[in-house]
Amino acid sequence: MTDEAPGDRVSVDGGTTDEAPGDGPVDGPPGGGYDLRLGPPAVGAWLSALVLLGLGPEAAYVTAVVSATGAVLLAAGAARERLPVPSRVAAGALVCVAASAAGVGFRLTAAGSGPVRALAVRGVTAGLGAVVAGDPVVLKAGPARRRDTVLVPARVEEVDSAPGTGRRRVRVPVLLLADDPAWRPLLPGQRVRLTARLAPPRHGELLAAVGLVRGPPALVGRPPAPQRWAGVIRSRLRAAASGLPADQRGVLPGLVDGDTSLLDPELADAFDAAGLTHLMAVSGENLSLLIGAVLMAGRFTGLGRRAVPVLAGLTVFGFVLVARPSPSVLRAAVMGSVALLAVVTGRERRGMPALCAAVLVLVLLDPALARSYGFALSALATAGILVLGPPWRRGLTRCLPQRTPGRPLRRLAGALAEPLAVAAAAHVACAPLLVLLDGEVSLVAVPANLLAAPAVGPATLLGVLAAAVAPISLPLARLIVVPAGLAVGWIAGVARLGARVPYAAVGWPAGAAGAALLTAVFVAGVLVLRRPGARRVAAAAVTGTALVAIGGHACAPGWPPRGWRFVACDVGQGDGLVLAAGPGSAVVVDAGPDPRFIDRCLRALRVRSVPLLVLTHPHADHVGGVPGVLRGRAVGTVLISPDSEGEERRLLTGRHVLAAGVGDVWSAGPLTLRVLGPLGTLPVSTRDPGTEVNNASVVLFAQWPGLTALLGGDVETEAQRLLLAAGPPHADVLKVPHHGSAHQDPDFLAAVHARIAVTSVGADNDYGHPAPSTMALLARLRLRGYRTDHDGDIAVIRSGDGPAVVTRRAGPR
């Protein structure tokens, strides 16, 4: 039995039709298939914009003329005789390609000509009058940036092209790069005056220029009223959630309006690992999952088929209102509404033409969307819901025994099948593009989405209600967010649980080849599952693979490995070393560029106390992660280089900071540390050339019973020769200086007589680290080499045959 009323979809030979009894065909082509006649025009417009944005206006105009000519020839053929459907579809596709190409050409011409581009080519500084076109985005400081950078999309409307010539009126898009925090709170629609040094954009960007801005903006008037209202709603929602536990107050605003400013980086990593990051973004997939949760709530409360669409429609309206009607939000609303209308009316097959029409119109209106991953994810998620959702929903419903007594249980099965099918379909459809972005396949994403889906609706609906009430009554909003916080706490718990699952994500070939391979695997899986015999073989293969993986995991060394002494954490392009100093205690030498990575490593090692923190020198790839070391841990003395001007102290407010002295000895549990360098006396800062700062690194000799290590910081050839003259001690482990750069003294490395060489380096870094010459030198010295970019976290342990190494691939993705 099924829970379908007369006149709803009727299953015929495994397919569906959208006809009521007595009606004629209403869903496109005969045979009950999906109506994909708008598919080629939509895909053609999308692909033409995607390609032509990187080729220039000339190629766009030529494409427009050629496509229009082809459409005219097909139309002339249609005038003489009736063309078959494929030819008519091809003619329509050519018309849409021509329109898309012409639109791209016009926009590239506008952006690539005029006074703004001319000033950018010359690299001059100009005064601009602009309108903020989107939410500012903050890029955190890292190895290449000492300060946070604020990216502000804007539209230039006035430009002072030259002194004394007055302002010229223009209307071109630009991207502003600012370092003043006053740019962060700006709202879309705010008019500003600024001075910027202009530069040409990268190839393929639909921009007239990139502007490097120093100083705050000069505000002109106020933002539009809708943006002001949305800004007030967002800030009041944060205030209403301020009394919730940390996880809940960080997640709730992100779930409601995409505001992740309060989200803890550790929890953000958990959402990423569990495949739930889309819940924190304003996307069509997010809205689709929200609609699925609303459908479930409507089914549980017994609402009829007419009331459920009204409830879902109100949810979409509230979502757009709170998240601000920016282009990205409106795009998400369009995609989500397509899925809403198709699913709640039981006309999924009619949804495909609506989706194709939405894609076509959006690309023609804004060609830049063709290169937006958010747009692609929205379209794919909606297509997955429309194509994969219905058969999966029916399959889940049929899992209930057909002779189960009582309609409530059947209704429960239908209510659960709807959101679960929506969540799974949306994620599977987006998986190839996610592989293109991350190079990984999440094995827990679908289960995590299924577990989180029941809480998404209540959390978001209550969050939207709280956001609407907060500007009127903050105390009432604080009451509303309490049950919302409980639902959000469930979602955060699912994220943390999913992130802790072994093999939560597996590596996959990156790039277009990896995405194509995953798509082929999905298609093969669908074909296999259609045949009962093949299903049994596939089930046996999957079961065997799972047993092998589980057995391998059970037999593999655990983490942290028993008796570990030294760990090089995979912190990306930087150093983050952990030296065991007793149960739950460790000395940390450098903290990497990002607090999340060193914090993740220390949590995995169960380090709760850091009696000594050593920052070898003040470069950002060694000190940027200091907040991650301090997060929730007792940290004692901090050592810095005696040659440093103390710029690290800004990260260590209230901490006991000392300058390391050559010959100093520090003890922590079984660990003894001796300071060997720096041997120079020249004060340096991050403003000095890199070599001088690197040679000011603190060099340490670490000793445990039965194991020694030499930690060289980033010292280069000159400092290594000084250390060689002083007589470096022999060590079992050598932390290769300066990420394995080419600036190494072979005699110094040989004098250490190490057995193991550990290189802390980031994957695909811009510095060419480690240098092939250094890796060849280590091989000639017969050192066993390990690299964090290949091996992840690297632990050195004691064994009966001397030091041994255990690795763990769990670093930054």
Side-chain angles (χ1 to χ4, degrees), residues 661-696:
V662 175
D664 290 350
V665 176
W666 296 81
S667 296
L671 170 66
T672 301
L673 281 174
R674 181 154 52 97
V675 179
L676 304 182
L679 298 176
T681 58
L682 179 66
V684 298
S685 75
T686 54
R687 295 183 296 274
D688 295 320
T691 297
E692 295 181 9
V693 182
N694 292 336
N695 284 331

Side-chain angles (χ1 to χ4, degrees), residues 43-59:
V43 173
W46 190 348
L47 292 180
S48 63
L50 175 68
V51 173
L52 294 174
L53 281 171
L55 298 181
E58 296 81 4

Side-chain angles (χ1 to χ4, degrees), residues 508-573:
W508 194 267
L517 177 61
L518 185 60
T519 302
V521 169
F522 283 154
V523 172
V526 171
L527 296 177
V528 166
L529 293 176
R530 293 173 64 91
R531 300 179 178 276
R535 282 200 297 268
R536 288 191 288 269
V537 173
V542 171
T543 302
T545 303
L547 290 175
V548 170
I550 293 172
H553 178 73
C555 297
W559 195 269
R562 188 179 184 85
W564 68 273
R565 293 292 181 263
F566 167 91
V567 173
C569 299
D570 183 6
V571 294
Q573 181 62 19

Side-chain angles (χ1 to χ4, degrees), residues 718-746:
E718 300 83 1
Q720 291 176 21
R721 288 171 180 164
L722 292 176
L723 291 167
L724 179 63
H730 294 185
D732 299 310
V733 180
L734 170 67
K735 202 290 293 186
V736 179
H738 196 204
H739 320 295
S741 77
H743 301 149
Q744 310 288 339
D745 182 83

Side-chain angles (χ1 to χ4, degrees), residues 137-151 177-184 213-216 593 618 620 624 647 650-651 686-687:
V137 177
V138 179
L139 296 182
K140 293 296 183 180
R145 297 184 301 275
R146 291 184 56 201
R147 303 180 63 180
D148 293 349
T149 301
V150 186
L151 304 182
L177 279 63
D179 59 4
D180 195 290
W183 287 89
R184 298 185 185 185
V213 184
R214 295 290 181 266
E647 297 176 6
R650 64 185 175 85
L651 300 170
T686 54
R687 295 183 296 274

